[in-house]
Amino acid sequence: MQLQLSASAPPVWVCSGTTSSCTFQRRPRRPRVVFVRCCSTIINGAAASSASSAFEKRTAAAYPFSEIEPRWQKHWDHNKTFRTPDQIDASKPKCYILDMFPYPSGAGLHVGHPLGYTATDIIARYKRMKGFNVLHPMGWDAFGLPAEQYAIQTGTHPRVTTKQNIQRFKAQLKSLGFSYDWDREISTTEPDYYKWTQWIFLQFLKRGLAYQAEVPVNWCPALGTVLANEEVVDGVSERGGYPVIRKPMRQWMLKITAYADRLLEDLETLDWPESIKEMQRNWIGRSEGAEIEFPVVDHNGIEKQGISLCVYTTRPDTLFGATYLVVAPEHFLLPSLISNEQRELVEEYVELASRKSDLERTELQKEKTGIFSGSFAKNPATGEVVPIWVADYVLGGYGTGAIMAVPAHDLRDFDFASKFELPIVKVVAPTAATFELSGAYADDGIMVNSSNASSGLDLSGLSNKEAASKVIQWLEHTGQGKKKVNYKLRDWLFARQRYWGEPFPVMFLEGTGDMVPLSESDLPLTLPELDDFTPTGTGEPPLAKATSWVKTVDPHSGLPARRETSTMPQWAGSCWYYLRFMDPKNPNALVDSAKERYWGPVDIYVGGAEHSVLHLLYARFWHKVLYDIGIVSTKEPFQCLINQGLILGEVEYTAYRDKGGKLVSVEADDNLSDYSQEKVSPEMVTKVGDSYVLKDHPNIKISARAFKMSKSRGNVINPDDVISEYGSDSLRLYEMFMGPLRDSKTWSTGGIEGVHRFLGRTWRLIVGPPFPDGSCRDGTVATDSEPTLEQLRVLHKCIAKVSEEIQETRFNTAISSMMEFINAAYKWENQPKEVMEVFVLLLSPFAPHMAEELWFRLGNSTSLAYEPFPEAKSEYLKETTVVLPVQINGKTRGTITVEKGCSEEDAFKLASADEKLCKYLNGGEIKKRIYVPGRILNVIVVQQKVARS
């Protein structure tokens, strides 16, 4: 008898047999379901509690991870097993392995987080055993909006919340057995750390790389801060979904554009995924073209007081096809371009555009919008008057904030011109022959309609590349333009109007407003204590409320001054943390130069692809500045980058019903919006071919999909629950076994049970089965016997495979190889200690708690963390057997395994003894044997005829 109970129901247990031999099974589900078998009696209350304890005891007896794992975590902590000493043997090779700086959120870890952490831990443990000096630290990127928003909502100081979150994160990471050097732990919120963030900012100031400018920003009144373009989605903040508007504000900027070419060029030296490099190339967006001056004129073509509109184009060859100009809504010349008749309409349009992010205006916007400014300009090549429009698909921050529109050869311009009925003039053709224009032709070709005697420019008949060069020469000769290299990359807006961030180490003199940097000896400038973190609503940051902190005196001039009340963005602290890990306690320098020269750059950097642009680009920029001033010795911070895939929630099954309530079968291309959804439990589903169907209605296909884990979907798996149920070694092993590290994978509770069984089999193979009372022997069942040749061959094949796969980060196949070893070892008559010890060393990077316990039980008194990693011996890797196909009368009937060089007679004896082959050989007359050594055995058999009575 079996009973299923939800976790919220009273504890009820079903027994099937005597109490002493009852068995209990638990299967985690969502919602959690408990499966129990016991002695045919429904029991609850105290009896249920007793039965539960019996179950827990019997589970632990099979593999006591709940005893092993805390014991070894305590041992590693107490002995500082993974501490990297300050004074190291620099003659040894080094390996700096780093996880991307985590933000310690209040939710703690979910099972997706340990994926990358487990991978780096395996590599770190492997490298230590290979004799490397390993630097494998952990810390916290702890400034940021979430803690401040929580403070506003609850009145809890962000420092308190942050400290609690860090403690939770740290406890969870320790419970997974990661071999971090916790003596190097850092947090961006500690003054000893952000002192050096402020110091770096002062170096930017000295070199003219930090400045203030009036720029249009994404202002979120509810959050009281400026947001980056990437933090705005569909006109609202990514965090909280609050409305965002565009408004000009004076902000701190970092001149990342000064390093654009170096950021681009040095990508080629990095061992990074090509997709990430391409994202950075596109973000930097280097292009070559020309700046062209278009004189502003009235509708009669008379120039207006020498005003000209400078445009940037990557296609100067198409100048003759420019039939209108477009300026961005925020262009500085726009107020002087608007005619009285158009002023109200244009100002209304500008207001609407200010509510959109740059992403909405460009990539997301399909339908073009715009308004005529009321002004005109003269095309310098044709002499024709063209209208000047305002449209939000042109950005004020790119190029000059104005473009020449060539609708015949640019898709955006074509769509705009078609909508507003503006002229379209073709100037590039696939051949010199006339062609019909049916859309924008943006490819290379031959110039047509591109000649004007008045301007002295004739391009017709040239290739478009030749024409581009000729136009640039003509522009520079006539003083109407010049060659120009441009970038999509903008200078980095480096200020946030919030409290919980690094203070800027500057002050402004009262009266003059002159900026005065703090002396380096006065660092750190610490945050003042505040009780009210709410936004002011005026754009002034919350720090403005700390009046006694804001008001200060310039120590050099004695004049009264005010401190900067904006704070640095969250990116600041994460731009250089990898350097502080090299020398975290140094009070006199950001990093000791000798330590930086030894440890730099980071050898392996692991994190999510979502950080492919901003964090990595900003960190590279800071690193190059530090290189230029002699703080670091390498041009790049991260030599090898690995992006781990996502772990998606468990597969969710959904059935659909029509308006009449009838089940509807789902096809891949169906539009399901008209149907009602119905969640289906996995027990009601089966797979048929590539589709999932209902067991009770096999003709009804249903939807099966895994989603990214999120609290809103309710599909988050807490690693604490998994560790409690299966142990951290099982969780580590499963996350590596799910598939290739870089691929996205779907969580399956059934999958973790498989690797948990593997660890249980490993335990029983070496320790032996549990005693009747559930306890385990103190030692092992390993023997002192000499390994056989076959045992050594199996072992060294496993060594070679695991070693290779760790180095190539193919952890799933390394685990498969260890599983094969355990399967083979179970067939042996004994388990030689010499072999078992080596296997435990192979297992240790993946399942360190079990490995340490087995190593100790095998008679070793010290941790295996620094034991030499096993080396495969070539003499045991040579194949000495072959699989020989066996044919009977020319038809393959099976195979046998034979030694290389096996004689025909021996091969025939093995075939005759084979259970499958003997039935074809017995009772017949062997007429002939054809044997090709190592290739085939063919036996010609004549079956005896049975005489009829």
Side-chain angles (χ1 to χ4, degrees):
M1 184 176 180
Q2 180 168 296
L3 184 65
Q4 300 181 17
L5 301 173
S6 73
S8 60
V12 179
W13 304 80
V14 178
C15 306
S16 57
T18 64
T19 305
S20 61
S21 62
C22 53
T23 60
F24 303 86
Q25 297 178 325
R26 300 196 326 189
R27 297 288 187 268
R29 293 284 185 266
R30 301 190 70 81
R32 187 181 182 84
V33 176
V34 181
F35 292 74
V36 183
R37 287 190 180 85
C38 204
C39 53
S40 296
T41 306
I42 298 180
I43 53 177
N44 51 36
S49 180
S50 174
S52 176
S53 298
F55 165 65
E56 295 293 349
K57 185 175 181 181
R58 297 172 77 93
T59 301
Y63 166 36
F65 60 84
S66 59
E67 300 170 19
I68 294 170
E69 292 178 354
R71 178 163 65 245
W72 284 103
Q73 289 162 16
K74 184 177 179 180
H75 173 90
W76 295 329
D77 258 359
H78 178 75
N79 293 282
K80 296 186 182 296
T81 303
F82 307 113
R83 182 178 179 273
T84 304
D86 290 330
Q87 302 301 320
I88 55 175
D89 180 0
S91 66
K92 293 173 64 175
K94 66 93 178 179
C95 190
Y96 185 178
I97 306 165
L98 186 62
D99 297 293
M100 286 190 183
F101 224 15
Y103 175 77
S105 69
L109 298 175
H110 64 64
V111 292
H113 292 112
L115 179 65
Y117 302 156
T118 304
T120 56
D121 193 60
I122 290 170
I123 298 169
R125 289 175 178 274
Y126 171 76
K127 290 290 187 181
R128 288 190 195 98
M129 297 173 79
K130 295 294 286 185
F132 283 70
N133 288 326
V134 171
L135 183 58
H136 188 40
M138 176 53 72
W140 317 104
D141 187 15
F143 274 131
L145 264 179
E148 185 161 340
Q149 284 302 108
Y150 186 78
I152 293 169
Q153 294 163 10
T154 66
T156 307
H157 197 285
R159 186 174 290 108
V160 174
T161 305
T162 299
K163 185 177 180 180
Q164 292 171 346
N165 293 349
I166 286 174
Q167 288 173 344
R168 173 162 166 71
F169 255 69
K170 187 174 180 179
Q172 287 184 300
L173 292 176
K174 284 192 169 186
S175 74
L176 282 154
F178 297 137
S179 60
Y180 294 124
D181 178 358
W182 286 109
D183 281 3
R184 293 176 182 262
E185 179 184 8
I186 57 178
S187 169
T188 56
T189 61
E190 294 300 321
D192 286 348
Y193 180 85
Y194 68 70
K195 164 187 176 178
W196 296 105
T197 308
Q198 293 171 335
W199 182 88
I200 295 172
F201 178 79
L202 291 178
Q203 311 316 305
F204 277 84
L205 268 180
K206 290 177 185 177
R207 284 153 184 81
L209 296 171
Y211 64 95
Q212 285 190 300
E214 192 89 6
V215 292
V217 298
N218 300 311
W219 171 252
C220 179
L223 295 176
T225 191
V226 171
L227 302 176
N229 289 335
E230 298 71 33
E231 297 171 312
V232 181
V233 179
D234 296 332
V236 298
S237 62
E238 186 180 31
R239 286 193 179 275
Y242 302 110
V244 175
I245 61 172
R246 298 280 286 181
K247 64 182 282 188
M249 290 183 69
R250 191 161 182 80
Q251 296 285 342
W252 281 104
M253 310 291 291
L254 294 187
K255 204 169 184 180
I256 190 173
T257 51
Y259 283 74
D261 280 328
R262 288 168 62 182
L263 289 167
L264 202 58
E265 292 162 6
D266 290 345
L267 280 172
E268 304 309 315
T269 67
L270 300 177
D271 180 14
W272 287 18
E274 188 56 37
S275 60
I276 301 299
K277 290 184 181 181
E278 191 60 24
M279 286 182 191
Q280 292 219 351
R281 291 187 193 105
N282 292 337
W283 192 265
I284 296 168
R286 186 183 191 277
S287 63
E288 294 184 3
E291 283 186 352
I292 306 174
E293 298 287 345
F294 281 73
V296 176
V297 300
D298 61 23
H299 64 280
N300 295 316
I302 307 300
E303 294 189 16
K304 285 187 175 181
Q305 301 173 354
I307 300 175
S308 66
L309 195 57
C310 182
V311 307
Y312 172 75
T313 178
T314 58
R315 293 291 305 271
D317 54 302
T318 61
L319 180 56
F320 280 91
T323 58
Y324 62 98
L325 305 184
V326 183
V327 297
E330 58 272 21
H331 195 284
F332 74 99
L333 276 181
L334 181 58
S336 63
L337 297 176
I338 307 172
S339 68
N340 292 331
E341 296 82 4
Q342 291 292 101
R343 186 165 302 278
E344 186 176 343
L345 292 173
V346 173
E347 288 177 349
E348 181 181 347
Y349 181 82
V350 170
E351 167 62 24
L352 291 172
S354 73
R355 301 176 189 173
K356 300 178 183 178
S357 70
D358 288 356
L359 195 61
E360 289 176 286
R361 288 169 55 177
T362 53
E363 295 180 21
L364 300 181
Q365 185 173 308
K366 290 186 170 59
E367 172 133 9
K368 297 292 178 286
T369 64
I371 192 79
F372 177 47
S373 70
S375 289
F376 300 86
K378 183 184 290 186
N379 185 321
T382 65
E384 295 178 358
V385 172
V386 296
I388 301 173
W389 282 67
V390 186
D392 60 10
Y393 76 87
V394 177
L395 301 178
Y398 178 67
T400 64
I403 65 164
M404 66 177 205
V406 185
H409 305 291
D410 181 276
L411 182 59
R412 291 183 313 167
D413 297 344
F414 181 86
D415 291 342
F416 191 91
S418 299
K419 178 176 180 178
F420 294 105
E421 298 181 351
L422 295 166
I424 300 175
V425 176
K426 58 190 178 185
V427 294
V428 183
T431 66
T434 303
F435 71 99
E436 290 299 321
L437 185 67
S438 57
Y441 177 74
D443 294 333
D444 292 338
I446 303 299
M447 304 306 300
V448 296
N449 303 325
S450 298
S451 178
N452 184 277
S454 299
S455 65
L457 186 59
D458 184 4
L459 307 177
S460 294
L462 297 177
S463 71
N464 64 293
K465 294 189 184 302
E466 292 172 321
S469 297
K470 188 171 181 178
V471 169
I472 291 172
Q473 291 173 7
W474 176 81
L475 289 169
E476 292 179 338
H477 178 72
T478 60
Q480 298 179 91
K482 61 183 179 181
K483 184 176 182 178
K484 180 71 174 177
V485 175
N486 217 331
Y487 302 89
K488 288 183 181 177
L489 182 67
R490 300 293 90 204
D491 279 347
W492 178 7
L493 195 156
F494 193 71
R496 297 291 185 269
Q497 284 63 51
R498 65 180 187 223
Y499 167 72
W500 194 232
E502 299 93 338
F504 282 95
V506 298
M507 64 183 75
F508 298 92
L509 298 180
E510 294 281 7
T512 64
D514 292 342
M515 187 274 294
V516 177
L518 264 63
S519 169
E520 292 177 9
S521 61
D522 291 335
L523 301 180
L525 173 61
T526 56
L527 278 171
E529 290 296 321
L530 269 188
D531 296 324
D532 180 10
F533 317 102
T534 55
T536 60
T538 63
E540 221 181 4
L543 271 179
K545 300 175 182 179
T547 53
S548 61
W549 180 86
V550 172
K551 293 181 179 179
T552 186
V553 174
D554 174 23
H556 300 292
S557 66
L559 296 174
R562 290 177 58 86
R563 299 194 191 280
E564 171 65 77
T565 53
S566 292
T567 53
M568 298 185 197
Q570 185 176 350
W571 306 104
S574 62
C575 279
W576 69 279
Y577 72 106
Y578 58 93
L579 295 171
R580 194 60 177 172
F581 278 138
M582 299 175 186
D583 193 15
K585 304 292 192 298
N586 192 333
N588 302 315
L590 185 151
V591 61
D592 176 78
S593 59
K595 292 177 180 179
E596 185 279 326
R597 284 195 301 273
Y598 179 76
W599 286 116
V602 174
D603 296 288
I604 300 172
Y605 195 36
V606 177
E610 66 271 19
H611 302 295
S612 58
V613 174
L614 296 183
H615 161 60
L616 290 171
L617 196 64
Y618 293 159
R620 293 180 63 221
F621 166 45
W622 279 44
H623 191 88
K624 290 183 184 302
V625 175
L626 294 174
Y627 176 79
D628 288 348
I629 64 177
I631 300 299
V632 299
S633 59
T634 62
K635 293 183 178 180
E636 288 287 336
F638 315 117
Q639 185 56 39
C640 174
L641 175 68
I642 297 174
N643 295 132
Q644 83 273 16
L646 290 174
I647 291 185
L648 306 174
E650 292 202 67
V651 174
E652 299 178 16
Y653 301 96
T654 307
Y656 292 85
R657 295 182 183 272
D658 61 20
K659 292 179 180 178
K662 183 179 178 182
L663 285 167
V664 178
S665 189
V666 174
E667 300 298 337
D669 56 351
D670 282 352
N671 182 356
L672 304 172
S673 58
D674 294 334
Y675 301 126
S676 61
Q677 298 183 12
E678 184 177 305
K679 296 296 180 185
V680 180
S681 67
E683 292 77 15
M684 300 171 63
V685 176
T686 188
K687 190 173 185 181
V688 177
D690 294 331
S691 303
Y692 290 88
V693 300
L694 294 172
K695 287 180 179 178
D696 294 341
H697 303 278
N699 60 323
I700 300 295
K701 295 180 182 178
I702 63 170
S703 167
R705 184 181 172 188
F707 296 87
K708 185 176 179 179
M709 290 188 185
S710 67
K711 287 190 290 186
S712 60
R713 288 202 69 85
N715 64 346
V716 172
I717 307 291
N718 188 330
D720 297 349
D721 296 336
V722 179
I723 291 171
S724 173
E725 189 75 22
Y726 297 103
S728 64
D729 280 345
S730 291
L731 176 57
R732 290 169 58 110
L733 211 63
Y734 175 57
E735 297 214 350
M736 294 298 97
F737 191 59
M738 291 172 76
L741 176 63
R742 294 162 177 80
D743 292 357
S744 291
K745 297 162 277 284
T746 302
W747 179 267
S748 168
T749 301
I752 197 171
E753 291 172 353
V755 296
H756 186 64
R757 285 194 299 271
F758 160 68
L759 288 176
R761 294 187 76 218
T762 301
W763 177 265
R764 292 190 298 275
L765 176 73
I766 298 174
V767 175
F771 296 124
D773 65 354
S775 64
C776 298
R777 70 185 74 245
D778 291 334
T780 69
V781 295
T783 67
D784 292 326
S785 59
E786 286 292 319
T788 66
L789 181 60
E790 177 59 23
Q791 288 172 335
L792 290 173
R793 284 174 178 167
V794 172
L795 174 64
H796 283 267
K797 182 181 178 182
C798 185
I799 294 171
K801 185 67 172 176
V802 172
S803 299
E804 177 186 352
E805 302 303 70
I806 288 177
Q807 293 176 74
E808 298 298 326
T809 65
R810 295 190 292 257
F811 304 120
N812 55 323
T813 49
I815 295 167
S816 294
S817 180
M818 289 187 283
M819 289 177 170
E820 291 171 7
F821 173 88
I822 291 297
N823 289 338
Y826 260 94
K827 299 175 184 178
W828 300 343
E829 292 183 1
N830 57 34
Q831 282 72 45
K833 178 182 175 182
E834 180 182 329
V835 172
M836 293 299 108
E837 281 189 333
V838 173
F839 176 75
V840 167
L841 293 176
L842 293 179
L843 180 67
S844 64
F846 299 84
H849 305 89
M850 174 180 277
E852 289 275 23
E853 181 71 16
L854 294 175
W855 183 251
F856 175 75
R857 286 169 175 262
L858 284 164
N860 300 283
S861 58
T862 58
S863 170
L864 52 64
Y866 294 92
E867 288 293 319
F869 198 81
E871 297 280 351
K873 295 183 178 179
S874 58
E875 61 263 35
Y876 299 122
L877 299 177
K878 297 174 183 176
E879 293 291 343
T880 60
T881 61
V882 294
V883 177
L884 188 73
V886 178
Q887 293 184 342
I888 308 297
N889 297 332
K891 187 172 184 179
T892 301
R893 296 294 186 178
T895 61
I896 55 175
T897 301
V898 301
E899 294 288 327
K900 287 184 177 179
C902 178
S903 67
E904 178 183 328
E905 188 60 34
D906 287 342
F908 180 71
K909 287 179 181 179
L910 288 169
S912 300
D914 184 86
E915 183 179 356
K916 183 178 179 181
L917 294 170
C918 66
K919 64 183 179 181
Y920 297 104
L921 298 173
N922 294 339
E925 179 185 354
I926 308 299
K927 298 291 289 182
K928 187 178 182 181
R929 295 194 309 227
I930 303 169
Y931 179 60
V932 181
R935 301 290 296 278
I936 197 167
L937 171 65
N938 187 8
V939 183
I940 308 301
V941 181
V942 178
Q943 297 295 331
Q944 298 291 338
K945 293 183 179 180
V946 180
R948 294 180 180 179
S949 58

